Amino acid sequence: MKKTVTAATAAALMIALTLQTGAGAVHAATAQPAATKSAVSADVSAKTKHANAIYNHMMELLKKPAKQAEALAYMEKNMYQVTPYQAMLMALKMENAENANLEAWNQKFYKDNVQRSLMKLMKQGDDLTSLINKTSDKNLKTLFKGARDSGYRLETAEGMFYLVLDYPRFQKVRPYVTNDIKSYIDIMTAETKNRFANDAALSISWQEVIKRAQTQEAFVKSYPKSNRVTQVKALYQLYLSISMNGLNNTPMFDYDSKKIDPKAKAALEAAVSKGNPATSGYLKRIKGFLDVVNKNKDTLTPEVRNYINSALK
């Protein structure tokens, strides 16, 4: 009897041990995801801290105009490590800094000796990098390199050389920003690479004028709360005016005969026929413009002028 009890007790102990081991195994199995979750959480936290550190460091650099070139290089190198929202802010604050310091940089280029040197050096297709390689003047090299590295590019109009923001360079950080700023960068890149005017004359086709106006209108519709919607609205207003007025040296209506430019009119008509004025404020205004122009036999009359003024309000 005693052996039976001992055997039973031993069996019970074995069962208890087995259950304990099983329970321990289950516990370990359930503990593994918790550990993994903790590790993931720690990794996310570390990445967040790292992204914040990058963002904050760039903001510190931008406080000093002398650090603008360093800030731009730092942004381009590290943008991929921050969130799209932080990337958006970094890009726009960089743009703000470039705009704020543009006049000071241009004053350096407006000096007579710099302008004279540029007249001798500059050939079609040259940019600041090629000019750095062309000149042997150390002061000019430093000036050109400083402007380029600070985010500017060289332009010329009416015999004057001056700097503008190098928006095509923002394409380097475009993949990391929010969708609205991706579109904004594209809009401003087009403006920079192929300016709409030169010496008050249209330097792009009428078709390109229409295309840009429609792109700008689409931006305003898609991103009404974007940080850059005000800038795009202003650009759109400019292109809407060009679409009906032209420019001083490329007028929509001939100064003497008051007749409309036939190529411009044909481009506008094609846009209206291909598009939908019912869903586009731009095309709706252009259709109204064409209607009143046809009514007045392609001539700029007070009625046509009144329509243009009304459409631009």
Side-chain angles (χ1 to χ4, degrees):
M1 185 69 172
K2 187 175 179 180
K3 288 183 178 180
T4 305
V5 172
T6 302
T9 302
L13 287 172
M14 286 298 292
I15 292 171
L17 183 59
T18 302
L19 288 173
Q20 274 190 336
T21 306
V26 172
H27 178 70
T30 55
Q32 185 63 31
T36 303
K37 184 176 181 181
S38 177
V40 170
S41 178
D43 184 53
V44 170
S45 178
K47 286 183 178 178
T48 299
K49 287 181 180 179
H50 185 60
N52 290 342
I54 290 171
Y55 175 80
N56 291 333
H57 181 63
M58 184 177 166
M59 294 306 106
E60 286 299 314
L61 290 174
L62 286 177
K63 289 179 180 179
K64 300 177 181 179
K67 297 282 188 179
Q68 184 172 314
E70 184 180 346
L72 179 55
Y74 183 81
M75 178 185 74
E76 291 174 343
K77 182 179 179 180
N78 295 286
M79 182 73 95
Y80 75 96
Q81 301 183 76
V82 301
T83 67
Y85 180 75
Q86 288 173 319
M88 176 268 290
L89 290 176
M90 289 168 71
L92 296 187
K93 287 181 181 293
M94 188 73 237
E95 181 196 30
N96 288 345
E98 290 177 7
N99 276 316
N101 301 322
L102 177 60
E103 181 57 29
W105 270 104
N106 266 325
Q107 288 303 321
K108 298 175 184 179
F109 276 75
Y110 290 156
K111 292 180 179 179
D112 289 341
N113 65 313
V114 176
Q115 291 286 316
R116 285 196 299 269
S117 296
L118 285 169
M119 286 288 290
K120 295 177 182 177
L121 288 170
M122 190 82 169
K123 303 297 180 184
Q124 187 173 2
D126 276 342
D127 58 14
L128 287 168
T129 298
S130 60
L131 291 174
I132 292 168
N133 296 328
K134 273 187 175 184
T135 185
S136 58
D137 188 312
K138 291 184 179 179
N139 291 329
L140 285 178
K141 280 183 181 289
T142 300
L143 178 64
F144 297 160
K145 186 176 186 302
R148 180 198 65 185
D149 293 351
S150 295
Y152 302 111
R153 62 193 284 147
L154 193 63
E155 295 285 356
T156 181
E158 299 179 2
M160 176 71 76
F161 297 93
Y162 60 95
L163 299 174
V164 297
L165 269 65
D166 190 2
Y167 279 103
R169 187 166 177 173
F170 279 92
Q171 291 290 334
K172 293 180 181 179
V173 298
R174 182 189 180 280
Y176 310 108
V177 299
T178 52
N179 288 335
D180 62 320
I181 303 308
K182 285 179 182 178
S183 296
Y184 174 71
I185 289 172
D186 290 344
I187 287 170
M188 299 308 294
T189 295
E191 290 298 313
T192 307
K193 292 178 75 172
N194 194 4
R195 291 180 297 157
F196 71 88
N198 187 27
D199 296 339
L202 197 63
S203 56
I204 59 176
S205 67
W206 290 107
Q207 288 81 1
E208 181 66 14
V209 169
I210 296 164
K211 177 184 174 182
R212 292 188 187 185
Q214 290 178 305
T215 299
Q216 294 148 12
E217 180 186 40
F219 179 95
V220 174
K221 282 185 176 182
S222 299
Y223 309 110
K225 295 183 179 180
S226 172
N227 195 285
R228 286 298 184 261
V229 70
T230 299
Q231 288 86 334
V232 178
K233 278 183 178 179
L235 200 55
Y236 168 71
Q237 194 69 15
L238 169 64
Y239 274 84
L240 179 61
S241 175
I242 293 172
S243 299
M244 294 184 283
N245 285 314
L247 294 172
N248 286 346
N249 292 333
T250 313
M252 178 63 70
F253 295 92
D254 184 80
Y255 287 123
D256 297 322
S257 68
K258 305 298 182 184
K259 292 293 185 179
I260 194 170
D261 183 319
K263 290 184 178 179
K265 184 185 180 186
L268 295 175
E269 288 174 332
V272 170
S273 66
K274 291 178 183 177
N276 186 358
T279 59
S280 167
Y282 173 76
L283 291 179
K284 181 179 179 181
R285 287 171 172 80
I286 296 303
K287 183 179 184 305
F289 170 71
L290 292 171
D291 289 344
V292 73
V293 164
N294 287 331
K295 179 183 175 183
N296 286 271
K297 299 180 180 179
D298 291 349
T299 304
L300 179 61
T301 64
E303 183 180 12
V304 173
R305 173 53 57 198
N306 287 339
Y307 176 85
I308 294 172
N309 292 340
S310 176
L312 291 177
K313 286 183 180 179

